[in-house]
């Protein structure tokens, strides 16, 4: 062994002996596990947990740390079991190509599988001292290991999230791609939602600009059944009460009514004899209140 490595090991051992462990670091298993995880960061978590449960005194803890640093004879994490959460990197556009509707995708209620240990690691790294405030496992189980919903609840409770610096977070085992996607979405949620909002607005503006011009309204043209003149205003027409409702211009109706009056008639059949009649109210509205209309009233 080289002198440099011996010197480094001596310094590590010396630091452990000369830096006393505070009482708070020795009160319970979780505190001992936290300390051991920092000092022996490459050790397997299960091994450190067993040692934390076994060690019963401060002297024993110091001895264990010193011997471990000296010998490095403890179960270590395998390279394939160590995954860096920063490995999943993409742009917002790339993310949305794979998950077009992340709000719906990550708000579902189905149970996540393979999330248990890694979800705890992520939450502990995101929220400082979270384990001291609540039972993380119970919180995750309540939300069926849906990290998005858990983080949303913690944020609403005022829990301050640590800055996004997860490149040193080591997971227990190889997580699924979906786990990485959900973590990425949580860390970039505001950016994703703003992008979606802008995209929707841009699509609306583009659709508005590309919308074909509204054609001018075409006024309906009516044709008199007698003179065949085109009439644009429906108010300038008279109609019979027959099934077909034949239309006639006011001039033709007026002339026909005057002829009927002259002949002594008091009813006004359809001008093309369909069997219907032109209502008297129409005749009254067309004829001036003169001799013709008065004669009609007398004969009735």
């Amino acid at each position: 062994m080289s002198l440099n490595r011996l010197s480094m090991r001596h310094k590590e051992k010396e630091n452990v002996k000369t830096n006393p462990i505070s009482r708070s670091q020795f009160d319970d298993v979780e505190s001992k596990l936290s300390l051991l995880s920092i000092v022996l960061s490459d050790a397997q978590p299960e091994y450190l947990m067993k040692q934390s449960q076994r060690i019963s005194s401060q002297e024993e803890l110091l001895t264990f740390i010193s011997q471990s640093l000296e010998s490095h004879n403890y179960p270590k994490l395998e390279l394939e079991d160590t995954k860096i959460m920063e490995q999943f990197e993409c742009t917002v556009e790339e993310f949305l190509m794979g998950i077009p509707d992340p709000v719906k995708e990550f708000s579902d209620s189905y149970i996540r599988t393979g999330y248990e240990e890694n979800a705890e690691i992520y939450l502990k790294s995101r929220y400082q001292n979270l384990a001291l405030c609540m039972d993380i496992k119970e919180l995750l189980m309540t939300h069926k290991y849906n990290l998005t919903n858990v983080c949303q609840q913690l944020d609403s409770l005022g829990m301050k999230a640590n800055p996004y610096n997860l490149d040193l977070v080591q997971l227990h085992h190889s997580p699924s791609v979906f786990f990485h996607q959900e973590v990425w979405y949580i860390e970039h949620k505001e950016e994703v939602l703003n992008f979606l909002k802008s995209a929707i607005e841009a699509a609306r503006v583009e659709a508005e600009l590309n919308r074909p011009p509204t054609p001018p309204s075409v006024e309906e043209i009516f044709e008199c059944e007698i003179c065949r003149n085109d009439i644009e205003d429906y108010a300038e027409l008279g109609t019979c009460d027959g099934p077909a409702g034949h239309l006639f211009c006011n001039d033709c109706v007026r002339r026909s009514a005057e002829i009927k009056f002259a002949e002594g008639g008091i009813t006004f059949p359809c001008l093309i004899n369909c069997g219907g009649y032109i209502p008297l109210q129409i005749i009254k509205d067309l004829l001036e209140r003169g001799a013709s209309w008065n004669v009609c009233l007398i004969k009735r």
Side-chain angles (χ1 to χ4, degrees):
M1 183 179 295
S2 67
L3 292 177
N4 288 337
R5 294 185 64 183
L6 284 173
S7 177
M8 290 177 62
R9 291 181 182 278
H10 178 73
K11 288 181 179 179
E12 290 175 340
K13 183 176 180 180
E14 185 180 38
N15 286 337
V16 172
K17 290 184 177 181
T18 57
N19 293 330
I21 300 174
S22 65
R23 177 60 57 184
S24 62
Q25 291 175 309
F26 185 66
D27 284 343
D28 51 43
V29 172
E30 185 175 352
S31 298
K32 288 182 284 187
L33 177 60
S34 177
L35 176 63
L36 292 177
S37 298
I38 295 174
V39 177
L40 305 174
S41 59
D42 60 341
Q44 292 183 1
E46 295 81 2
Y47 171 75
L48 295 181
M49 173 60 77
K50 290 180 180 179
Q51 299 304 318
S52 299
Q53 295 171 341
R54 179 186 64 80
I55 294 173
S56 59
S57 67
Q58 182 172 348
E59 290 74 21
E60 188 177 359
L61 179 60
L62 287 171
T63 300
F64 172 75
I65 293 175
S66 178
Q67 291 176 349
S68 298
L69 291 175
E70 180 69 26
S71 65
H72 284 268
N73 186 22
Y74 51 83
K76 299 178 179 61
L77 289 170
E78 299 294 335
L79 291 178
E80 59 269 19
D81 291 335
T82 303
K83 298 293 180 180
I84 305 301
M85 297 185 73
E86 280 279 341
Q87 67 177 317
F88 184 83
E89 281 299 329
C90 64
T91 64
V92 174
E93 293 89 338
E94 292 169 342
F95 179 79
L96 291 174
M97 287 180 64
I99 304 179
D101 190 357
V103 176
K104 180 178 183 300
E105 183 72 23
F106 296 115
S107 63
D108 57 63
S109 59
Y110 66 82
I111 299 177
R112 307 287 202 266
T113 57
Y115 267 38
E116 292 80 359
E117 294 176 340
N118 291 328
E120 288 189 52
I121 293 175
Y122 171 70
L123 290 176
K124 287 180 180 179
S125 67
R126 179 175 170 85
Y127 301 100
Q128 189 175 8
N129 299 325
L130 177 61
L132 302 178
C133 303
M134 58 186 66
D135 188 327
I136 299 179
K137 286 187 178 180
E138 182 178 351
L139 179 64
L140 285 167
M141 290 177 63
T142 300
H143 290 277
K144 299 180 180 179
Y145 286 88
N146 185 311
L147 279 175
T148 302
N149 292 343
V150 171
C151 291
Q152 184 174 339
Q153 177 181 340
L154 293 175
D155 292 341
S156 67
L157 294 175
M159 298 289 293
K160 184 178 180 181
N162 294 325
Y164 183 54
N165 184 23
L166 301 177
D167 54 330
L168 298 179
V169 176
Q170 294 181 337
L171 305 179
H172 282 185
H173 53 78
S174 180
S176 65
V177 173
F178 191 80
F179 175 83
H180 282 301
Q181 289 173 330
E182 184 163 20
V183 169
W184 191 95
Y185 172 67
I186 293 171
E187 296 295 337
H188 299 82
K189 185 175 181 179
E190 184 175 356
E191 185 180 354
V192 171
L193 296 182
N194 287 338
F195 182 91
L196 287 173
K197 183 178 179 180
S198 299
I200 292 173
E201 178 62 18
R204 186 194 67 79
V205 172
E206 183 178 1
E208 188 71 24
L209 293 175
N210 295 331
R211 179 181 299 172
T214 303
S217 58
V218 178
E219 296 183 358
E220 189 173 0
I221 304 298
F222 304 96
E223 184 182 62
C224 175
E225 297 281 355
I226 300 299
C227 66
R228 298 300 177 183
N229 287 337
D230 292 335
I231 308 298
E232 296 182 359
D233 188 356
Y234 187 82
E236 297 297 322
L237 294 168
T239 180
C240 74
D241 60 7
H246 295 112
L247 298 175
F248 310 99
C249 68
N250 286 345
D251 290 340
C252 289
V253 174
R254 185 182 296 107
R255 284 194 296 267
S256 176
E258 289 174 349
I259 292 173
K260 284 294 181 181
F261 277 140
E263 294 175 349
I266 58 174
T267 58
F268 303 92
C270 174
L271 303 188
I272 60 174
N273 298 316
C274 72
Y277 290 85
I278 297 177
L280 285 176
Q281 185 62 46
I282 293 178
I283 302 298
K284 177 182 176 182
D285 292 340
L286 290 177
L287 298 179
E288 295 180 353
R289 290 182 176 274
S292 298
W293 182 248
N294 291 333
V295 170
C296 178
L297 292 178
I298 292 172
K299 289 186 176 182
R300 290 184 65 192

